[in-house]
Amino acid sequence: MEDSVTETFSQGGFSYVYLVQYTSTSQLYALKKIRCPFGQESVSLALKEAEAYALFSPHPHIIPAVDHAVTSANDKSDPGSKTVYILLPYYRRGNLQDAINANLVNHTQFPERRLMVLFLGVAKALKAMHQYRVRGAPGGAQSRQNANKVRKEAEEADKDAARKARSRRKDVDIEEEEEADIEQEPLMNGEVMRSQEGVGDGEIRAYAHRDVKPGNIMISDSGTSPILMDLGSLAPSPLHITSRALALQTQDLAAEHSTLPYRAPELFDTKTGTVIDTKTDIWSFGCTLFACLVGKSPFEMRSEETGGSLSICVLGGDWRFPDEESAANGGGRRKVKGKGKGREGEREEGGISEGVREVVRACLRVEASERPDVDEVIGMIEKVVEELPPDEGDRDAEVEG
């Protein structure tokens, strides 16, 4: 496959994302390049994303990987280094963060019913992860086989990197230490398939996305379907916090992989004896919906208003809609009321319908056990969509799949 790079989308840490074009068809793709210096970034961790894409494919609201490859970096100073490439579809409409930015610049809003239809698709993507059954939907045994193939390829690449590093260093103690690091990589760090060991066919092996945010939700070219992406943060769920060391490790991983304004409170202050589960995604889902309605995360907005710490706002549940008192102080009471405003299925000009507000409020409960599960969220959104009037010029827009 002959590609030409046309643009660099983004870069950070060891990864880069390029817009590339397949020269024979002019088809555009997104190419993710991840450098894996030996001892700093394992191929297994880098390919975790491709492994997860394989497991949940095909799903109408989860991005698939078109292809992937692992190459030697040919770095004489680091003979064990590798480079991972993951080829992904390109969506010309961009992601929800792009749409939010456009709304802020143009002083426009998402059509409310269309937005809720999009979020219904996001919830369905999360349902596939939260309720994944071994050898079950979306792809059954074939998807599981494809994911296992990616995992084995990553393990072989890491072993090859270790062999090359050993041949250069010729230090037995270093060899044993580095090999142990590869073999004993913590399960929560990225073992998508290994977490299914001991789980029978048809039984649930839940996963949490852990980084739901506007920038990780692409919009299909038709404009009617959301595509959840960036599964590099995926984590087996539930995670029982059995020690202080594991609590700190969980917080550190969240700081690295879960974007701050959308991160659940239990990932800011993880306590021994608690359980971290898929409700972290429900919190992030609520923050993301709020951001689409208002322009930024509720806690980002509140910390800017008060001048306080974002993490303190999150841990205290201190947020509000623009026309309300703080949820922490007033439980989401309106500052200004008008005739007919706030009724179910009704949206005042420039405002937010009460049914939509209730979805956000339900998701942003500080206690994870009080948040709805993904099935309850889907039910709430379906009810809201049914009650909302059609958006102007958008009578028939419905989520695909």
Side-chain angles (χ1 to χ4, degrees), residues 79-147:
S81 64
K82 301 280 186 180
T83 302
V84 169
Y85 296 92
I86 303 175
L87 191 65
L88 300 166
Y90 168 71
Y91 299 97
R92 59 182 174 81
R93 291 179 181 267
N95 56 46
L96 281 180
Q97 187 61 58
D98 296 325
I100 290 170
N101 295 342
N103 283 343
L104 292 172
V105 169
N106 299 320
H107 304 287
T108 55
Q109 292 178 310
F110 286 99
E112 197 171 43
R113 187 175 185 278
R114 191 186 310 172
L115 179 65
M116 296 310 291
V117 168
L118 284 173
F119 270 79
L120 180 58
V122 177
K124 289 178 178 179
L126 292 176
K127 178 182 172 75
M129 299 177 187
H130 293 185
Q131 299 177 7
Y132 174 78
R133 292 182 182 274
V134 175
R135 294 184 183 271
Q142 184 60 53
S143 291
R144 190 168 185 269
Q145 182 179 330
N146 293 341

Side-chain angles (χ1 to χ4, degrees), residues 313-353:
C313 290
V314 169
L315 292 169
D318 185 8
W319 67 279
R320 66 180 184 87
F321 286 105
D323 61 347
E324 291 178 344
E325 296 177 2
S326 167
N329 298 321
R333 295 189 301 241
R334 296 283 188 94
K335 283 182 178 178
V336 180
K337 292 185 179 180
K339 186 177 180 181
K341 293 179 183 178
R343 291 183 299 183
E344 200 72 33
E346 184 174 336
R347 185 185 199 187
E348 60 192 85
E349 185 176 354
I352 302 166
S353 299

Side-chain angles (χ1 to χ4, degrees), residues 41-340:
E41 177 90 353
S42 73
V43 175
S44 293
L45 192 56
L47 270 184
K48 170 190 171 183
E49 190 173 340
E51 183 184 355
Y53 292 146
L55 183 63
F56 296 113
S57 179
H59 190 285
H61 305 302
I62 299 176
I63 195 171
V66 178
D67 202 355
H68 70 273
V70 181
T71 65
S72 295
N74 295 321
D75 184 348
K76 292 182 179 180
S77 65
D78 184 7
S81 64
K82 301 280 186 180
T83 302
V84 169
Y85 296 92
I86 303 175
L87 191 65
L88 300 166
Y90 168 71
Y91 299 97
R92 59 182 174 81
R93 291 179 181 267
N95 56 46
L96 281 180
Q97 187 61 58
D98 296 325
I100 290 170
N101 295 342
N103 283 343
L104 292 172
V105 169
N106 299 320
H107 304 287
T108 55
Q109 292 178 310
F110 286 99
E112 197 171 43
R113 187 175 185 278
R114 191 186 310 172
L115 179 65
M116 296 310 291
V117 168
L118 284 173
F119 270 79
L120 180 58
V122 177
K124 289 178 178 179
L126 292 176
K127 178 182 172 75
M129 299 177 187
H130 293 185
Q131 299 177 7
Y132 174 78
R133 292 182 182 274
V134 175
R135 294 184 183 271
Q142 184 60 53
S143 291
R144 190 168 185 269
Q145 182 179 330
N146 293 341
N148 270 322
K149 183 178 178 182
V150 176
R151 171 53 43 188
K152 289 176 182 176
E153 182 181 350
E155 289 171 351
E156 286 302 316
D158 279 329
K159 288 177 183 177
D160 179 65
R163 282 193 296 268
K164 289 181 177 178
R166 285 200 300 271
S167 67
R168 179 173 183 267
R169 298 186 183 188
K170 295 181 181 179
D171 186 323
V172 176
D173 293 334
I174 293 177
E175 291 173 23
E176 292 175 349
E177 182 180 331
E178 290 172 342
E179 198 167 65
D181 286 343
I182 295 170
E183 292 175 357
Q184 300 300 320
E185 183 178 307
L187 178 64
M188 61 186 294
N189 257 0
E191 287 291 354
V192 176
M193 296 309 300
R194 198 176 67 163
S195 68
Q196 294 184 17
E197 292 177 3
V199 182
D201 290 357
E203 294 181 5
I204 289 181
R205 165 69 278 178
Y207 296 92
H209 183 284
R210 290 279 189 93
D211 197 23
V212 177
K213 62 179 181 179
N216 281 340
I217 301 170
M218 307 303 293
I219 302 172
S220 68
D221 289 348
S222 69
T224 61
S225 187
I227 312 292
L228 187 60
M229 62 169 288
D230 198 355
L231 303 191
S233 56
L234 193 79
S237 179
L239 174 65
H240 296 269
I241 306 300
T242 56
S243 66
R244 182 57 182 160
L246 183 56
L248 293 173
Q249 183 186 30
T250 302
Q251 287 181 198
D252 289 344
L253 283 171
E256 183 178 354
H257 296 292
S258 303
T259 304
L260 186 66
Y262 301 90
R263 190 186 309 161
E266 58 267 31
L267 296 177
F268 278 93
D269 183 22
T270 306
K271 300 185 184 301
T272 305
T274 60
V275 177
I276 306 298
D277 60 17
T278 56
K279 296 292 184 70
T280 58
D281 287 347
I282 301 301
W283 176 278
S284 302
F285 182 94
C287 291
T288 300
L289 177 54
F290 183 99
C292 288
L293 294 164
V294 175
K296 59 181 66 176
S297 155
F299 303 98
E300 197 173 16
M301 185 182 86
R302 189 61 178 160
S303 66
E304 290 176 3
E305 288 176 345
T306 63
S309 161
L310 190 149
S311 61
I312 291 175
C313 290
V314 169
L315 292 169
D318 185 8
W319 67 279
R320 66 180 184 87
F321 286 105
D323 61 347
E324 291 178 344
E325 296 177 2
S326 167
N329 298 321
R333 295 189 301 241
R334 296 283 188 94
K335 283 182 178 178
V336 180
K337 292 185 179 180
K339 186 177 180 181

